[in-house]
Coordinates of all heavy atoms in Angstrom, one line a residue:
S19 N -16.6 -41.0 3.8 CA -16.0 -41.8 2.7 C -15.2 -40.8 1.8 O -14.5 -41.3 0.9 CB -17.0 -42.5 2.0 OG -18.0 -41.6 1.4
H20 N -15.3 -39.5 1.9 CA -14.6 -38.6 1.1 C -13.6 -37.8 2.0 O -13.9 -37.5 3.2 CB -15.5 -37.6 0.4 CG -16.5 -38.3 -0.5 ND1 -17.7 -38.7 -0.1 CD2 -16.3 -38.6 -1.8 CE1 -18.3 -39.3 -1.2 NE2 -17.5 -39.3 -2.2
T21 N -12.5 -37.4 1.4 CA -11.6 -36.6 2.2 C -11.8 -35.1 2.0 O -12.4 -34.7 1.0 CB -10.1 -37.0 1.8 OG1 -9.9 -36.7 0.4 CG2 -9.8 -38.4 2.1
K22 N -11.2 -34.3 2.8 CA -11.3 -32.8 2.7 C -10.5 -32.5 1.4 O -9.6 -33.1 1.0 CB -10.6 -32.1 3.8 CG -11.3 -32.3 5.2 CD -10.5 -31.7 6.3 CE -11.1 -32.0 7.6 NZ -10.2 -31.5 8.7
P23 N -11.0 -31.6 0.6 CA -12.0 -30.5 0.9 C -13.5 -30.8 0.8 O -14.3 -29.9 0.9 CB -11.6 -29.4 0.0 CG -11.1 -30.1 -1.2 CD -10.4 -31.3 -0.7
D24 N -13.8 -32.1 0.5 CA -15.2 -32.4 0.5 C -15.8 -32.1 1.9 O -15.2 -32.4 2.9 CB -15.4 -33.9 0.2 CG -16.8 -34.3 -0.1 OD1 -17.6 -34.4 0.9 OD2 -17.1 -34.5 -1.3
P25 N -17.0 -31.5 1.9 CA -17.6 -31.1 3.2 C -18.3 -32.3 4.0 O -18.8 -32.1 5.1 CB -18.6 -30.1 2.8 CG -18.9 -30.3 1.4 CD -17.7 -30.9 0.8
E26 N -18.2 -33.5 3.5 CA -18.9 -34.6 4.1 C -18.7 -34.8 5.6 O -19.6 -35.0 6.3 CB -18.5 -35.9 3.3 CG -19.2 -37.1 3.9 CD -18.7 -38.4 3.3 OE1 -17.5 -38.6 3.1 OE2 -19.6 -39.2 2.9
I27 N -17.4 -34.7 6.0 CA -17.1 -35.0 7.4 C -17.8 -33.9 8.3 O -18.3 -34.3 9.4 CB -15.6 -35.1 7.6 CG1 -15.3 -35.6 9.0 CG2 -14.9 -33.7 7.4 CD1 -15.7 -37.0 9.3
Y28 N -17.8 -32.7 7.9 CA -18.5 -31.7 8.7 C -20.0 -31.8 8.7 O -20.6 -31.6 9.7 CB -18.0 -30.3 8.3 CG -16.7 -29.9 8.8 CD1 -15.6 -29.8 8.0 CD2 -16.5 -29.7 10.2 CE1 -14.3 -29.5 8.5 CE2 -15.3 -29.3 10.7 CZ -14.2 -29.2 9.9 OH -12.9 -28.9 10.4
R29 N -20.5 -32.1 7.5 CA -22.0 -32.4 7.5 C -22.4 -33.5 8.4 O -23.4 -33.4 9.1 CB -22.4 -32.6 6.0 CG -22.3 -31.4 5.1 CD -22.8 -31.7 3.7 NE -22.8 -30.5 3.0 CZ -22.4 -30.4 1.7 NH1 -22.1 -31.6 1.0 NH2 -22.3 -29.3 1.0
L30 N -21.6 -34.6 8.4 CA -21.9 -35.7 9.2 C -21.8 -35.3 10.7 O -22.6 -35.7 11.5 CB -20.9 -36.9 8.9 CG -21.1 -38.1 9.7 CD1 -22.5 -38.7 9.5 CD2 -20.0 -39.1 9.4
G31 N -20.8 -34.5 11.0 CA -20.6 -34.1 12.4 C -21.8 -33.2 12.9 O -22.3 -33.5 14.0
V32 N -22.2 -32.3 12.2 CA -23.3 -31.4 12.6 C -24.6 -32.2 12.7 O -25.5 -32.0 13.5 CB -23.4 -30.1 11.8 CG1 -22.2 -29.2 12.0 CG2 -23.8 -30.3 10.4
E33 N -24.8 -33.1 11.7 CA -26.0 -34.0 11.7 C -26.0 -34.8 13.0 O -27.0 -34.9 13.7 CB -26.0 -34.9 10.5 CG -27.1 -35.8 10.5 CD -27.0 -36.8 9.3 OE1 -26.8 -36.3 8.1 OE2 -27.2 -38.0 9.5
R34 N -24.9 -35.4 13.4 CA -24.8 -36.2 14.6 C -25.0 -35.4 15.8 O -25.5 -35.9 16.8 CB -23.5 -37.0 14.6 CG -23.5 -38.2 13.6 CD -22.3 -39.1 13.8 NE -22.4 -40.1 12.8 CZ -21.4 -41.0 12.6 NH1 -20.3 -40.9 13.4 NH2 -21.6 -42.0 11.8
L35 N -24.5 -34.2 15.8 CA -24.7 -33.3 17.0 C -26.1 -32.8 17.1 O -26.5 -32.3 18.1 CB -23.7 -32.1 16.9 CG -22.2 -32.4 17.2 CD1 -21.4 -31.2 16.8 CD2 -22.0 -32.8 18.6
G36 N -26.8 -32.7 15.9 CA -28.1 -32.2 15.9 C -28.2 -30.7 16.0 O -29.1 -30.1 16.6
V37 N -27.1 -30.1 15.5 CA -27.0 -28.6 15.6 C -26.9 -28.1 14.2 O -26.2 -28.6 13.4 CB -25.7 -28.2 16.4 CG1 -25.5 -26.7 16.4 CG2 -25.7 -28.8 17.8
P38 N -27.6 -27.0 13.9 CA -27.5 -26.4 12.5 C -26.0 -25.9 12.3 O -25.4 -25.4 13.2 CB -28.4 -25.2 12.6 CG -29.2 -25.3 13.8 CD -28.5 -26.2 14.7
P39 N -25.5 -26.1 11.1 CA -24.2 -25.7 10.8 C -23.9 -24.3 11.0 O -22.7 -23.9 11.4 CB -24.0 -26.1 9.3 CG -25.3 -26.4 8.8 CD -26.2 -26.7 9.9
E40 N -24.8 -23.4 10.9 CA -24.6 -22.0 11.1 C -24.4 -21.7 12.6 O -23.9 -20.6 12.9 CB -25.7 -21.1 10.5 CG -27.1 -21.4 11.1 CD -27.9 -22.5 10.4 OE1 -27.3 -23.2 9.5 OE2 -29.0 -22.6 10.7
R41 N -24.6 -22.6 13.4 CA -24.4 -22.4 14.9 C -23.1 -23.1 15.3 O -22.8 -23.2 16.5 CB -25.6 -23.0 15.7 CG -26.9 -22.5 15.4 CD -27.2 -21.2 16.1 NE -27.1 -21.4 17.5 CZ -27.1 -20.4 18.4 NH1 -27.1 -19.2 18.0 NH2 -27.0 -20.6 19.7
C42 N -22.3 -23.6 14.3 CA -21.1 -24.3 14.6 C -19.9 -23.5 14.1 O -20.0 -22.7 13.2 CB -21.1 -25.7 14.0 SG -22.4 -26.7 14.6
M43 N -18.7 -23.8 14.6 CA -17.5 -23.2 14.2 C -16.4 -24.3 14.1 O -16.3 -25.1 15.0 CB -17.0 -22.1 15.1 CG -15.7 -21.5 14.7 SD -15.1 -20.2 15.8 CE -14.7 -21.2 17.3
A44 N -15.7 -24.3 13.0 CA -14.6 -25.3 12.9 C -13.3 -24.5 13.1 O -13.1 -23.3 12.8 CB -14.6 -25.9 11.5
V45 N -12.3 -25.2 13.7 CA -10.9 -24.7 13.8 C -10.1 -25.5 12.9 O -10.0 -26.7 13.0 CB -10.4 -24.8 15.3 CG1 -9.0 -24.3 15.3 CG2 -11.3 -24.0 16.2
E46 N -9.5 -24.8 11.9 CA -8.7 -25.5 10.9 C -7.4 -24.9 10.7 O -7.2 -23.7 11.1 CB -9.5 -25.5 9.5 CG -10.5 -26.5 9.4 CD -10.0 -27.9 9.2 OE1 -8.7 -28.1 9.0 OE2 -10.7 -28.9 9.2
D47 N -6.5 -25.6 10.1 CA -5.1 -25.0 9.9 C -4.7 -25.1 8.4 O -3.6 -24.7 8.1 CB -4.1 -25.8 10.7 CG -3.9 -27.2 10.2 OD1 -4.8 -27.8 9.5 OD2 -2.8 -27.8 10.5
S48 N -5.6 -25.6 7.5 CA -5.2 -25.7 6.1 C -6.3 -25.3 5.2 O -7.5 -25.3 5.5 CB -4.8 -27.2 5.8 OG -5.9 -28.0 5.9
A49 N -5.9 -25.0 3.9 CA -6.9 -24.6 2.9 C -7.9 -25.7 2.7 O -9.1 -25.4 2.6 CB -6.2 -24.2 1.6
P50 N -7.6 -27.0 2.5 CA -8.6 -28.0 2.3 C -9.6 -28.1 3.4 O -10.8 -28.3 3.2 CB -7.8 -29.3 2.1 CG -6.4 -28.8 1.7 CD -6.2 -27.5 2.3
G51 N -9.1 -28.0 4.7 CA -10.0 -28.1 5.8 C -10.9 -26.9 5.9 O -12.1 -27.0 6.2
I52 N -10.4 -25.7 5.5 CA -11.2 -24.5 5.5 C -12.3 -24.7 4.5 O -13.5 -24.4 4.7 CB -10.4 -23.3 5.2 CG1 -9.4 -23.0 6.4 CG2 -11.2 -22.1 4.9 CD1 -8.3 -22.0 6.1
R53 N -12.0 -25.1 3.3 CA -12.9 -25.3 2.2 C -14.0 -26.3 2.6 O -15.2 -26.2 2.3 CB -12.3 -25.7 0.9 CG -11.5 -24.5 0.3 CD -11.1 -24.8 -1.2 NE -10.3 -25.9 -1.3 CZ -8.9 -25.9 -1.3 NH1 -8.3 -24.8 -1.1 NH2 -8.2 -27.0 -1.5
S54 N -13.6 -27.4 3.3 CA -14.5 -28.4 3.7 C -15.5 -27.8 4.7 O -16.7 -28.0 4.6 CB -13.7 -29.5 4.4 OG -14.5 -30.5 5.0
A55 N -15.0 -27.1 5.7 CA -15.9 -26.6 6.7 C -16.9 -25.5 6.2 O -18.1 -25.5 6.4 CB -15.1 -26.0 7.9
L56 N -16.3 -24.6 5.4 CA -17.2 -23.6 4.7 C -18.2 -24.2 3.8 O -19.4 -23.8 3.8 CB -16.3 -22.6 4.0 CG -15.5 -21.6 4.8 CD1 -14.6 -20.8 3.9 CD2 -16.3 -20.8 5.7
G57 N -17.8 -25.3 3.1 CA -18.7 -26.0 2.2 C -19.9 -26.6 2.9 O -21.0 -26.8 2.4
A58 N -19.7 -26.9 4.2 CA -20.7 -27.5 5.0 C -21.6 -26.5 5.7 O -22.5 -26.8 6.5 CB -20.1 -28.5 6.0
G59 N -21.2 -25.2 5.6 CA -22.0 -24.1 6.2 C -21.5 -23.7 7.5 O -22.2 -22.9 8.2
L60 N -20.3 -24.1 8.0 CA -19.8 -23.7 9.3 C -19.0 -22.4 9.1 O -18.4 -22.2 8.0 CB -18.9 -24.8 9.8 CG -19.5 -26.0 10.5 CD1 -20.2 -26.9 9.5 CD2 -18.5 -26.8 11.3
R61 N -18.8 -21.7 10.2 CA -17.8 -20.6 10.2 C -16.5 -21.3 10.6 O -16.4 -22.3 11.2 CB -18.2 -19.6 11.3 CG -19.5 -18.9 10.9 CD -19.9 -17.9 12.0 NE -20.2 -18.7 13.2 CZ -20.2 -18.2 14.4 NH1 -20.0 -16.9 14.6 NH2 -20.5 -18.9 15.5
V62 N -15.4 -20.6 10.2 CA -14.1 -21.2 10.3 C -13.1 -20.2 11.0 O -13.0 -19.1 10.5 CB -13.5 -21.7 9.0 CG1 -12.2 -22.4 9.2 CG2 -14.5 -22.7 8.3
L63 N -12.5 -20.7 12.0 CA -11.4 -20.0 12.6 C -10.1 -20.8 12.2 O -9.9 -21.9 12.5 CB -11.5 -20.0 14.1 CG -10.4 -19.3 14.9 CD1 -10.5 -17.8 14.6 CD2 -10.6 -19.5 16.4
A64 N -9.3 -20.1 11.4 CA -8.1 -20.8 10.8 C -6.9 -20.3 11.6 O -6.7 -19.1 11.9 CB -7.9 -20.4 9.4
V65 N -6.1 -21.3 12.0 CA -4.8 -21.0 12.7 C -3.7 -21.8 11.9 O -3.4 -22.9 12.3 CB -4.9 -21.5 14.2 CG1 -3.6 -21.1 14.9 CG2 -6.1 -21.0 14.9
P66 N -3.3 -21.2 10.8 CA -2.3 -21.9 10.0 C -0.9 -21.9 10.6 O -0.5 -21.1 11.4 CB -2.3 -21.0 8.7 CG -2.7 -19.7 9.1 CD -3.6 -19.9 10.3
S67 N -0.2 -22.9 10.2 CA 1.2 -23.1 10.6 C 2.1 -22.5 9.5 O 1.6 -22.0 8.5 CB 1.6 -24.6 10.8 OG 1.6 -25.2 9.5
G68 N 3.4 -22.4 9.8 CA 4.3 -22.0 8.7 C 4.2 -22.7 7.4 O 4.3 -22.2 6.3
L69 N 3.9 -24.0 7.5 CA 3.7 -24.9 6.4 C 2.4 -24.6 5.6 O 2.4 -24.6 4.4 CB 3.8 -26.3 6.8 CG 3.7 -27.4 5.7 CD1 4.9 -27.3 4.8 CD2 3.6 -28.8 6.3
T70 N 1.3 -24.3 6.4 CA 0.0 -24.2 5.7 C -0.4 -22.7 5.4 O -1.4 -22.5 4.7 CB -1.1 -24.8 6.6 OG1 -1.2 -24.2 7.8 CG2 -0.9 -26.3 6.7
S71 N 0.4 -21.8 6.0 CA 0.0 -20.3 5.8 C -0.1 -19.9 4.3 O -1.1 -19.2 4.0 CB 1.0 -19.4 6.5 OG 0.7 -19.3 7.8
P72 N 0.8 -20.3 3.4 CA 0.7 -19.9 2.0 C -0.7 -20.3 1.4 O -1.3 -19.5 0.7 CB 1.9 -20.5 1.3 CG 2.9 -20.7 2.4 CD 2.1 -21.0 3.6
G73 N -1.1 -21.5 1.6 CA -2.4 -22.0 1.1 C -3.6 -21.3 1.7 O -4.5 -21.0 1.0
V74 N -3.5 -21.0 3.0 CA -4.6 -20.3 3.7 C -4.6 -18.9 3.2 O -5.7 -18.4 2.9 CB -4.4 -20.4 5.2 CG1 -5.4 -19.5 5.9 CG2 -4.6 -21.8 5.7
D75 N -3.5 -18.2 3.1 CA -3.5 -16.8 2.6 C -4.0 -16.7 1.2 O -4.6 -15.7 0.8 CB -2.1 -16.3 2.8 CG -1.6 -16.1 4.2 OD1 -2.5 -16.1 5.1 OD2 -0.4 -16.0 4.5
A76 N -3.7 -17.7 0.4 CA -4.1 -17.7 -1.0 C -5.7 -17.7 -1.2 O -6.2 -17.3 -2.2 CB -3.5 -18.9 -1.8
L77 N -6.4 -18.2 -0.1 CA -7.8 -18.2 -0.2 C -8.4 -16.8 -0.2 O -9.5 -16.6 -0.7 CB -8.4 -19.0 1.0 CG -8.1 -20.5 1.1 CD1 -8.6 -21.0 2.4 CD2 -8.8 -21.2 -0.1
G78 N -7.7 -15.9 0.4 CA -8.1 -14.5 0.4 C -9.2 -14.3 1.5 O -9.4 -15.2 2.3
H79 N -10.0 -13.3 1.3 CA -11.1 -13.0 2.3 C -12.3 -13.8 1.9 O -12.8 -13.7 0.7 CB -11.4 -11.5 2.3 CG -12.6 -11.2 3.2 ND1 -12.6 -11.3 4.6 CD2 -13.9 -11.0 2.9 CE1 -13.8 -11.0 5.1 NE2 -14.6 -10.8 4.1
L80 N -12.8 -14.7 2.7 CA -14.0 -15.5 2.5 C -15.0 -15.2 3.6 O -14.6 -15.1 4.8 CB -13.7 -17.0 2.4 CG -12.7 -17.4 1.3 CD1 -12.4 -18.9 1.5 CD2 -13.3 -17.2 0.0
D81 N -16.3 -15.1 3.3 CA -17.3 -14.9 4.3 C -17.3 -16.1 5.2 O -17.2 -17.3 4.8 CB -18.7 -14.8 3.7 CG -18.9 -13.5 3.0 OD1 -18.2 -12.5 3.4 OD2 -19.8 -13.4 2.2
G82 N -17.3 -15.9 6.5 CA -17.3 -16.9 7.5 C -15.9 -17.4 7.9 O -15.8 -18.4 8.7
L83 N -14.9 -16.8 7.4 CA -13.5 -17.2 7.8 C -12.8 -16.1 8.5 O -12.8 -14.9 8.0 CB -12.8 -17.5 6.5 CG -11.3 -17.8 6.6 CD1 -11.0 -19.0 7.4 CD2 -10.6 -17.9 5.2
V84 N -12.2 -16.4 9.6 CA -11.2 -15.5 10.3 C -9.9 -16.3 10.4 O -9.9 -17.4 10.9 CB -11.8 -15.2 11.7 CG1 -10.7 -14.4 12.5 CG2 -13.0 -14.3 11.6
V85 N -8.8 -15.6 10.0 CA -7.5 -16.2 10.1 C -6.7 -15.6 11.2 O -6.7 -14.4 11.3 CB -6.8 -16.1 8.8 CG1 -5.4 -16.7 8.9 CG2 -7.6 -16.7 7.6
V86 N -6.2 -16.4 12.1 CA -5.4 -16.0 13.2 C -3.9 -16.4 13.0 O -3.7 -17.6 13.1 CB -5.9 -16.5 14.6 CG1 -5.0 -16.1 15.7 CG2 -7.3 -16.1 14.8
H87 N -3.0 -15.5 12.7 CA -1.6 -15.9 12.5 C -0.8 -15.9 13.8 O 0.2 -16.5 13.8 CB -1.0 -14.9 11.4 CG -1.5 -15.2 10.0 ND1 -1.0 -16.3 9.3 CD2 -2.3 -14.5 9.2 CE1 -1.6 -16.3 8.1 NE2 -2.4 -15.2 8.0
D88 N -1.3 -15.2 14.8 CA -0.6 -15.1 16.0 C -1.4 -15.9 17.1 O -2.4 -15.4 17.6 CB -0.5 -13.6 16.5 CG 0.2 -13.5 17.8 OD1 0.6 -14.5 18.4 OD2 0.4 -12.3 18.2
P89 N -1.0 -17.1 17.4 CA -1.7 -18.0 18.3 C -2.0 -17.3 19.7 O -2.9 -17.7 20.4 CB -0.9 -19.2 18.5 CG 0.0 -19.3 17.2 CD 0.2 -17.8 16.9
S90 N -1.2 -16.3 20.1 CA -1.4 -15.7 21.4 C -2.7 -14.9 21.4 O -3.2 -14.5 22.5 CB -0.2 -14.8 21.8 OG -0.1 -13.7 21.0
T91 N -3.2 -14.6 20.2 CA -4.5 -13.8 20.2 C -5.7 -14.7 19.9 O -6.8 -14.2 19.8 CB -4.4 -12.8 19.0 OG1 -4.3 -13.5 17.8 CG2 -3.3 -11.8 19.2
L92 N -5.5 -16.0 19.9 CA -6.6 -16.9 19.6 C -7.8 -16.8 20.5 O -8.9 -16.7 20.0 CB -6.0 -18.4 19.6 CG -7.0 -19.5 19.2 CD1 -7.5 -19.3 17.8 CD2 -6.3 -20.8 19.3
L93 N -7.5 -16.8 21.8 CA -8.7 -16.7 22.7 C -9.4 -15.4 22.6 O -10.7 -15.4 22.6 CB -8.2 -16.9 24.1 CG -7.7 -18.3 24.5 CD1 -7.2 -18.4 25.9 CD2 -8.8 -19.3 24.3
S94 N -8.8 -14.3 22.5 CA -9.5 -13.0 22.4 C -10.2 -12.9 21.0 O -11.3 -12.4 21.0 CB -8.5 -11.9 22.6 OG -7.5 -11.8 21.6
V95 N -9.6 -13.4 20.0 CA -10.3 -13.3 18.7 C -11.5 -14.2 18.7 O -12.6 -13.8 18.2 CB -9.3 -13.7 17.5 CG1 -10.1 -13.9 16.2 CG2 -8.2 -12.7 17.4
T96 N -11.4 -15.4 19.2 CA -12.5 -16.3 19.3 C -13.7 -15.8 20.1 O -14.8 -15.8 19.7 CB -12.1 -17.7 19.9 OG1 -11.0 -18.2 19.1 CG2 -13.2 -18.7 19.9
A97 N -13.3 -15.2 21.3 CA -14.4 -14.6 22.2 C -15.1 -13.5 21.5 O -16.3 -13.4 21.5 CB -13.7 -14.2 23.5
E98 N -14.3 -12.6 20.8 CA -14.9 -11.5 20.1 C -15.8 -12.0 19.0 O -16.9 -11.5 18.8 CB -13.8 -10.6 19.5 CG -14.4 -9.4 18.8 CD -13.3 -8.5 18.2 OE1 -12.2 -8.5 18.7 OE2 -13.6 -7.8 17.3
W99 N -15.3 -12.9 18.2 CA -16.1 -13.4 17.1 C -17.4 -14.1 17.5 O -18.4 -13.9 17.0 CB -15.2 -14.4 16.2 CG -15.7 -14.6 14.8 CD1 -16.3 -13.7 14.0 CD2 -15.6 -15.8 14.1 NE1 -16.6 -14.3 12.8 CE2 -16.1 -15.6 12.8 CE3 -15.0 -17.0 14.4 CZ2 -16.1 -16.5 11.8 CZ3 -15.0 -18.0 13.4 CH2 -15.6 -17.7 12.1
L100 N -17.3 -14.9 18.5 CA -18.5 -15.6 19.0 C -19.4 -14.7 19.7 O -20.7 -14.9 19.6 CB -18.1 -16.8 20.0 CG -17.4 -18.0 19.3 CD1 -17.0 -19.0 20.4 CD2 -18.2 -18.6 18.2
G101 N -18.9 -13.6 20.3 CA -19.8 -12.6 20.9 C -20.6 -11.8 19.9 O -21.6 -11.3 20.2
N102 N -20.1 -11.8 18.6 CA -20.7 -11.0 17.6 C -21.6 -11.9 16.7 O -22.1 -11.4 15.7 CB -19.7 -10.3 16.7 CG -19.0 -9.2 17.5 OD1 -19.6 -8.6 18.4 ND2 -17.7 -9.0 17.2
R103 N -21.9 -13.1 17.0 CA -22.7 -14.0 16.2 C -24.2 -13.7 16.4 O -24.6 -13.2 17.4 CB -22.4 -15.4 16.4 CG -22.9 -15.9 17.8 CD -22.6 -17.3 18.0 NE -23.0 -17.6 19.4 CZ -23.4 -18.7 19.8 NH1 -23.4 -19.7 19.0 NH2 -23.8 -18.9 21.0
P104 N -25.0 -14.0 15.3 CA -26.4 -13.8 15.5 C -27.0 -14.8 16.4 O -26.5 -15.9 16.6 CB -26.9 -14.0 14.1 CG -25.8 -14.6 13.3 CD -24.6 -14.4 14.0
A105 N -28.1 -14.4 17.1 CA -28.7 -15.3 18.1 C -29.4 -16.5 17.4 O -29.8 -16.4 16.3 CB -29.7 -14.5 18.9

């Protein structure tokens, strides 16, 4: 019933999946989406577009956020990040 950046949609998603939020990762392209996912306790892989990059970059460094500006590195960055997560 609330739109992003409210974390409601992500909280509902992890609840329905039955998975703790710290075991989930969201892929987002905008600052409101990033704030929504982080607010729900998820890690976030951000892949901003030319339109959304300024807003994403303005967020600065946030715990749980990795920003990928070059989509050709998306798979390697994701694999590395997921490989370094706690068990």
Side-chain angles (χ1 to χ4, degrees):
S19 62
H20 298 94
T21 60
K22 296 174 184 177
D24 190 285
E26 177 184 51
I27 191 67
Y28 281 109
R29 287 184 180 141
L30 180 62
V32 297
E33 178 184 311
R34 288 186 178 175
L35 287 171
V37 178
E40 61 273 7
R41 300 280 299 167
C42 299
M43 179 179 70
V45 178
E46 279 288 349
D47 69 338
S48 68
I52 292 166
R53 287 194 301 269
S54 176
L56 290 175
L60 282 71
R61 293 176 298 159
V62 181
L63 182 64
V65 187
S67 69
L69 182 64
T70 61
S71 280
V74 170
D75 292 342
L77 293 173
H79 175 75
L80 299 173
D81 286 340
L83 172 64
V84 170
V85 179
V86 176
H87 286 286
D88 179 358
S90 71
T91 65
L92 184 59
L93 290 178
S94 62
V95 169
T96 303
E98 180 180 338
W99 199 32
L100 291 177
N102 292 328
R103 69 180 175 154

